[in-house]
Amino acid sequence: MSAIKGHEQKAGGARYSDIIYEKIIAMIADGRFPLNERLPSEPNLAAMLGASRPVLREALERMRQDNLIVSRKGSGSYVRQRPDSTMLQQVPVGSLAEVQRFFEFRAGLEAGAAELAARNATVADRHRIAEALARLESAIQRGELGAEEDLALHDAIAAAGGNPFHQQIRNIYRSHFAMGHSVTRSLNLRRSPPNLRAVQDEHNAIVAAILDRDEAGAAAAMRNHILNARNRMFSGVDD
């Protein structure tokens, strides 16, 4: 396989660096690159993956940002986290980096929506949010995934802000939002013990801030929740 030239080239709609990023994550997940062990040198890893050095470096930098690897001066890059391999089965091939970037986008977007909800929610809006939270709690108590209920709660918060652009964005990128909720909740359900209670505590904090008209608190709680969800994607089942 010839070396890939230029980090802006794409294959099947995905950046080559994103494809390399996903391949390395798969090798970590299946144990070929063990936890806390050093990755092969850049020249060896580039040859192994059929990637140019610039493409590989871009992929590795992304992995450092995601706390999957850590660089030690003069020693190389070491595996910091081993993700659950089932995560890769739930995300379309070549799109893991895009899913992670969408979480970054959501962190700002949904924090703003929560702030607006705390400011503008009507009595009816507040009732809908509380009901959505209760339905999600019921799903957890039944041992269900609760992905649809989770999505509905976030929908209710976006609607309560009174800015139609938040709802329009959610409609345009509906499949992206739905995938994020489904993947993270299914991974959390696999944890031992399940992480769904910790996630619900985050939802409770968001809703409490909204109902208290605490705009800054609602925004901070939502941002924290979305970034935690993003980080939990890379946590192993035994973490």
Side-chain angles (χ1 to χ4, degrees):
M1 182 175 182
S2 61
I4 298 166
K5 304 295 184 182
H7 66 278
E8 292 300 328
Q9 286 182 285
K10 300 187 178 184
R15 291 161 61 103
Y16 278 125
S17 61
D18 290 349
I19 294 171
I20 298 303
Y21 164 91
E22 190 166 312
K23 285 183 176 181
I24 299 172
I25 291 175
M27 290 175 171
I28 293 172
D30 69 17
R32 275 179 282 180
F33 298 150
L35 189 65
N36 299 320
E37 293 295 321
R38 185 167 65 89
L39 291 176
S41 66
E42 283 192 8
N44 288 340
L45 192 55
M48 183 185 305
L49 298 169
S52 68
R53 295 282 290 278
V55 166
L56 176 64
R57 285 169 180 161
E58 187 173 329
L60 292 175
E61 178 57 31
R62 179 77 192 176
M63 294 183 72
R64 290 185 194 97
Q65 293 171 7
D66 291 336
N67 291 317
L68 285 162
I69 62 172
V70 60
S71 294
R72 298 175 186 171
K73 191 172 181 180
S75 181
S77 297
Y78 289 75
V79 178
R80 188 172 188 174
Q81 293 191 78
R82 181 183 178 185
D84 182 353
S85 60
T86 61
M87 173 189 66
L88 297 170
Q89 299 168 14
Q90 298 178 60
V91 176
V93 175
S95 64
L96 180 58
E98 179 181 309
V99 170
Q100 290 296 91
R101 291 188 184 106
F102 195 72
F103 272 107
E104 294 171 358
F105 170 69
R106 283 182 59 191
L109 180 77
E110 296 200 55
E115 181 178 357
L116 287 175
R119 182 188 311 163
N120 299 327
T122 64
V123 172
D125 290 327
R126 290 157 66 86
H127 181 67
R128 278 192 290 270
I129 290 171
E131 278 196 336
L133 181 66
R135 285 194 294 271
L136 180 54
E137 179 63 36
S138 294
I140 294 171
Q141 294 296 329
R142 294 192 299 269
E144 297 174 357
L145 186 63
E148 292 183 6
E149 291 84 356
D150 194 344
L151 185 61
L153 173 59
H154 286 255
D155 285 342
I157 292 170
N163 186 323
F165 287 105
H166 278 285
Q167 292 170 279
Q168 289 174 27
I169 287 292
R170 294 186 70 81
N171 289 332
I172 291 169
Y173 292 104
R174 194 68 178 177
S175 63
H176 289 69
F177 283 105
M179 180 184 293
H181 286 279
S182 178
V183 170
T184 54
R185 292 194 73 84
S186 63
L187 290 172
N188 287 327
L189 195 60
R190 282 173 50 81
R191 304 292 196 267
S192 180
N195 270 357
L196 292 181
R197 174 49 53 195
V199 176
Q200 189 69 348
D201 289 343
E202 293 173 8
H203 286 134
N204 290 334
I206 295 165
V207 172
I210 291 172
L211 298 183
D212 286 344
R213 301 289 186 189
D214 179 0
E215 297 175 28
M222 180 64 87
R223 179 176 176 81
N224 177 68
H225 169 58
I226 300 298
L227 292 179
N228 281 346
R230 178 182 181 279
N231 292 336
R232 280 189 286 258
M233 276 192 69
F234 287 140
S235 297
V237 291
D238 295 323
D239 289 356

